[in-house]
Amino acid sequence: MEKNTSSKTNGPGKISRMFLTLYDVGAFVTRFFKEAFLPPYEIKELVNQCYNIGYQSLILISTTGFITGVVFTKQSRPSLAEFGATSWLPSLVAIALLRTLAPLLTALIAAGKVGSSIGAELGSMRVTEQIDAMEVSATNPFKFLVSTRVMATTITIPILSFYTALVGMLGALLNVSLSEGTSAKAFFLSALESITFLDITASTIRSIIYGFTIGIVGCYQGYNSSKGTEGVGKAANSAVVIGMFLVFLEEVITVQFFSLFRTV
């Protein structure tokens, strides 16, 4: 009887904590939209965060994008060769990179690299009471720390996404040139011919959503981390895990949404 009673009391407790967490997240997101678009504007810090995010991810994104372009081209050639359609290879790579691979790869790399960095940085500031000190000194820590970082990820991730697509196309060009002797001009003309305005728009919107998600998750976990060094590690780990999970979830939803426009 005691075990049954304890299980019943623990159940509602977990459910109530879940709803409290959802409420806190909703309040956090709402506060961001209130703080981000009201003066004073932290333009200098926003530019600094954009630079840091791009600089931190540039080498890893460049390497990953280039390898993805090479490998995807190499793996796709045998399938197209069976139908005598190797001339479609540039178009296939361009569509795959711009529609799916580039935004998703960039978001996953940023979730691991940038999300963990934001979570750990804000978590350590919370543990060392730097955020509390900013509040005492009449500084708005939410606007300076959270709003600038979320806006920076929202701005920077789409730029990095198109950069990933470009680097991936260069990797594909290298593979095609070595295998078939295709010139760079012919390769890019064939690739860009298959790209539509809807592809560019969908890729941009998805990247913006991913960037906002990564920034808001990292900031929420770090800003609300528990006291102690253990809380800093937990905030960084949660920022990566939750950020990646939400990116995959948003990938499924956005792909289904934009596929409706392609069938029209």
Side-chain angles (χ1 to χ4, degrees):
M1 293 296 294
E2 293 180 357
K3 292 183 179 180
N4 294 333
T5 304
S6 62
S7 62
K8 291 181 180 179
T9 55
N10 288 336
K14 292 180 180 179
I15 295 175
S16 62
R17 285 196 298 270
M18 180 185 70
F19 281 107
L20 286 174
T21 302
L22 291 176
Y23 174 80
D24 290 340
V25 172
F28 192 84
V29 174
T30 303
R31 185 180 178 186
F32 162 76
F33 283 107
K34 289 181 179 179
E35 299 280 0
F37 302 105
L38 293 177
Y41 302 107
E42 303 289 348
I43 303 298
K44 184 177 180 180
E45 179 64 15
L46 174 61
V47 173
N48 181 51
Q49 290 300 323
C50 289
Y51 172 79
N52 290 336
I53 292 171
Y55 179 77
Q56 287 178 3
S57 309
L58 193 61
I59 296 178
L60 186 57
I61 284 178
S62 300
T63 305
T64 305
F66 188 83
I67 294 175
T68 300
V70 173
V71 172
F72 185 81
T73 305
K74 190 175 183 63
Q75 295 293 330
S76 302
R77 181 180 288 105
S79 299
L80 293 177
E82 292 181 2
F83 301 96
T86 54
S87 59
W88 293 357
L89 196 55
S91 299
L92 175 64
V93 175
I95 292 173
L97 283 173
L98 195 60
R99 285 187 182 180
T100 303
L101 293 178
L104 185 59
L105 282 175
T106 305
L108 293 177
I109 292 172
K113 185 74 174 176
V114 179
S116 62
S117 176
I118 292 175
E121 183 181 10
L122 295 187
S124 62
M125 294 182 70
R126 173 65 72 183
V127 169
T128 56
E129 299 182 349
Q130 296 181 48
I131 296 178
D132 297 333
M134 293 177 67
E135 293 176 347
V136 172
S137 61
T139 303
N140 188 344
F142 193 94
K143 178 179 286 291
F144 186 81
L145 298 176
V146 175
S147 297
T148 54
R149 283 164 173 77
V150 176
M151 293 182 67
T153 55
T154 306
I155 295 171
T156 309
I157 298 302
I159 298 174
L160 292 175
S161 176
F162 284 106
Y163 173 76
T164 304
L166 176 61
V167 174
M169 291 298 296
L170 293 178
L173 171 61
L174 176 64
N175 187 280
V176 172
S177 298
L178 294 177
S179 301
E180 302 168 11
T182 305
S183 65
K185 181 179 179 180
F187 178 87
F188 280 105
L189 285 176
S190 177
L192 295 177
E193 185 179 1
S194 59
I195 300 300
T196 64
F197 179 75
L198 178 60
D199 294 329
I200 298 175
T201 303
S203 181
T204 303
I205 294 175
R206 290 165 59 202
S207 299
I208 291 174
I209 295 173
Y210 299 158
F212 175 80
T213 301
I214 293 167
I216 205 73
V217 169
C219 288
Y220 176 81
Q221 295 296 329
Y223 199 81
N224 297 286
S225 63
S226 58
K227 299 293 183 180
T229 55
E230 183 179 352
V232 177
K234 185 178 180 180
N237 182 67
S238 299
V240 176
V241 175
I242 298 175
M244 287 186 174
F245 172 77
L246 291 179
V247 165
F248 279 118
L249 184 62
E250 291 166 349
E251 174 74 8
V252 174
I253 296 174
T254 53
V255 166
Q256 294 296 324
F257 175 78
F258 286 109
S259 65
L260 298 177
F261 294 93
R262 302 185 195 279
T263 56
V264 175

